[in-house]
Amino acid sequence: MDFKRLFLALSLSFVFIYVWQIFFMPPVTEPVTDVVEQGPQKIETITASKAQLDQSIDFDFSQSSNLEIETPLLALKLNNGASSISALEIIEKINKQSNELKHTGRWVASGEYKQNLAVQLLDDQACNPCLIENGQIVIFNDNFELQSIDNQQVILSFNEWGITKKTIIYNDSYIIDHMFSNLNPGHNYQLMWTHGIEPTEPNIQDDLTMLGAFTEDEKSYEEETIGDDNETLTYNNIGWAGLKTKYFMKAVTNEGYQSNKIKNITFETQKKAINEGVEFLYSNITCDYGFGNELINTFSYIGPIETNHLNNARTSHLVQLFGFGWFIIGYLGQLVLWLLTSLHSIIPNYGVVCILFAFIVRILTGPLTKQSFLSNQKLQTLQPKIKKIQEKYKADQAKLSQATMELYKKEGVNPLGGCLPILVQMPLLIALFQVFRKTIEFRGAQFLPIWVTDLSQPDVIIKLQFLENIPGISYFFGHGIALLPIIMGIIMFLSMKMTANTTEPSAKFAMYFMNGFFILLFNTFPSGLNLYYTMYNILNFIQQRQLKQLQS
């Protein structure tokens, strides 16, 4: 009986986490037309035809002069009279004393992934942004002006018809201001941000899984997974929007977005080959401002989904794109991330931080675990009496339940005492799962030189090529077999076996099944998450063993 309750509690905890993960996986989509009303905003999702996409504006500025600018964070190339960003690399260093890049890894033109190169989010792109006036691109002259003012670089671009573009690039921010002035209010204006955002992960599926278009939705945001070629998404009355992958984003925000809305924003997606057999989805973003504009004042954030860069007055609305979760889970997630980064400022190894974090959580949850264990032990001692009651009232379910509850009351045992402490921990477990799975701090972070060299990826020790082609199995083991989930599964098995203290065949089967399920599930998780859970379960096993010895 005690084993069944423990089994149920553990199942609920981890299955809930699994379902939570599935909730954020891209759904299988079909070509549909769907219109949904949500407050002041209307969302329309359609699948566009190839002919419609062929009409998308594409520009060639190869003949115009380029401007190259570097800040401590970014290396930029600008075209069209230095009014539009054509390439963007992240060159932020780990710290001010180091020359080591903080974010590395990108796909190059040859179709290879280069781990040591700086992350490149825009590569040989046409418009970021281009101003469209009555359906025609606005061409800016090459005689732009560049000024360095305090902590920023200001570019003034001029059009022969009097339109001026002011671009402000900040030395300490990923924010870039884009201000178009001297517009004709009788003309229709659009801003185009073409070719989306580049993939950054060695396993492109990691980015495709998290690839989405997001838009403002009152005080929160609406996100639509991008999973199809030739897809168009249109949103109306929006203040800010953009695209995000697993760790990076390309966001566009109107200055004063609370009242200053874009008439409609359209995402048009096309598929492009990265190399043979590997493809990615790129979305053009068109912001339609309509008529009546003398000035368009917007800014972009093209960089990491990293809270220390987003937590400021201008981009605080983008922090939520990290996806901490809802209500108490969201607050717990923010607390977990703050604690992780704070510990890393003292201990410069996130692998060690994960292990230390497991100790901290065990200290907090230890009393609950103890209560759960003791409750299960009390229930176990009552098993002979419960069996007698079951035999006596096997023909009368009502009397059986009444007699069982009277026994619990007499012995001072809560039948849910073993489950409740674990259920209480569920918000924390989910918050930990969210943060450890998504935090960019783990990206490229090494625990040991020969093992767990990237905490954002599974710690694969065996790669079996044939597993990639087996439906179902390929999702869990296509990338290889990781070591940490196996260690964790063994520890959990030993812990469950010690707690259960039963020789029933059904119980043994349940333990084997449960641990096989955990190994299967956790094999796809980042090694940082698995390192934490493995250490947590080792500490849990040690505590249960000590409690078991005290009881004997």
Side-chain angles (χ1 to χ4, degrees), residues 523-534:
N523 193 67
T524 64
F525 288 176
S527 55
L529 179 66
N530 287 340
L531 182 61
Y532 161 78
Y533 275 127
T534 300

Side-chain angles (χ1 to χ4, degrees), residues 507-519:
K508 286 186 176 182
F509 173 78
M511 284 191 292
Y512 290 132
F513 175 81
M514 197 71 168
N515 284 274
F517 173 75
F518 288 148
I519 293 171

Side-chain angles (χ1 to χ4, degrees), residues 200-224:
T200 60
E201 303 311 296
N203 181 3
I204 285 188
Q205 190 61 41
D206 288 346
D207 272 334
L208 282 173
T209 296
M210 306 295 285
L211 180 62
F214 60 84
T215 57
E216 174 197 20
D217 181 15
E218 296 181 354
K219 293 183 179 180
S220 184
Y221 69 99
E222 179 80 15
E223 184 174 351
E224 184 81 15

Side-chain angles (χ1 to χ4, degrees), residues 79 149 190 259 293 297 440 442 469:
N79 58 18
I149 304 173
Q190 297 173 315
S259 57
N293 296 284
N297 189 354
I440 196 172
F442 284 178
N469 303 317

Side-chain angles (χ1 to χ4, degrees), residues 187-336:
H187 290 179
N188 182 72
Y189 289 100
Q190 297 173 315
L191 287 185
M192 288 197 69
W193 305 76
T194 59
H195 302 105
I197 185 171
E198 296 290 333
T200 60
E201 303 311 296
N203 181 3
I204 285 188
Q205 190 61 41
D206 288 346
D207 272 334
L208 282 173
T209 296
M210 306 295 285
L211 180 62
F214 60 84
T215 57
E216 174 197 20
D217 181 15
E218 296 181 354
K219 293 183 179 180
S220 184
Y221 69 99
E222 179 80 15
E223 184 174 351
E224 184 81 15
T225 299
I226 295 175
D228 285 331
D229 189 15
N230 293 357
E231 182 179 40
T232 298
L233 308 171
T234 299
Y235 301 82
N236 298 332
N237 196 34
I238 299 298
W240 52 271
L243 298 164
K244 63 188 287 287
T245 54
K246 186 175 183 180
Y247 296 117
F248 299 92
M249 71 169 137
K250 176 181 180 178
V252 182
T253 301
N254 264 12
E255 197 67 63
Y257 68 87
Q258 295 88 345
S259 57
N260 184 20
K261 305 297 183 181
I262 302 169
K263 183 180 177 182
N264 62 69
I265 293 180
T266 302
F267 298 85
E268 294 179 291
T269 301
Q270 287 183 312
K271 188 179 292 184
K272 174 185 172 185
I274 302 297
N275 63 18
E276 187 177 351
V278 178
E279 296 178 315
F280 197 65
L281 295 169
Y282 295 85
S283 294
N284 296 338
I285 307 174
T286 303
C287 302
D288 189 353
Y289 289 85
F291 296 89
N293 296 284
E294 296 182 359
L295 172 72
I296 294 177
N297 189 354
T298 187
F299 65 87
S300 62
Y301 179 98
I302 307 175
I305 305 175
E306 195 169 358
T307 54
N308 68 317
H309 283 297
L310 294 171
N311 269 323
N312 63 72
R314 300 186 72 189
T315 55
S316 59
H317 57 284
L318 299 176
V319 173
Q320 58 189 317
L321 291 166
F322 182 92
F324 287 104
W326 303 315
F327 306 116
I328 189 172
I329 293 172
Y331 292 111
L332 283 172
Q334 293 178 56
L335 177 62
V336 168

Side-chain angles (χ1 to χ4, degrees), residues 401-422:
S401 299
Q402 182 180 356
T404 303
M405 294 307 297
E406 288 176 355
L407 176 63
Y408 287 150
K409 186 177 180 180
K410 179 182 177 181
E411 299 291 338
V413 174
N414 182 355
L416 297 178
C419 299
L420 287 176
I422 295 176

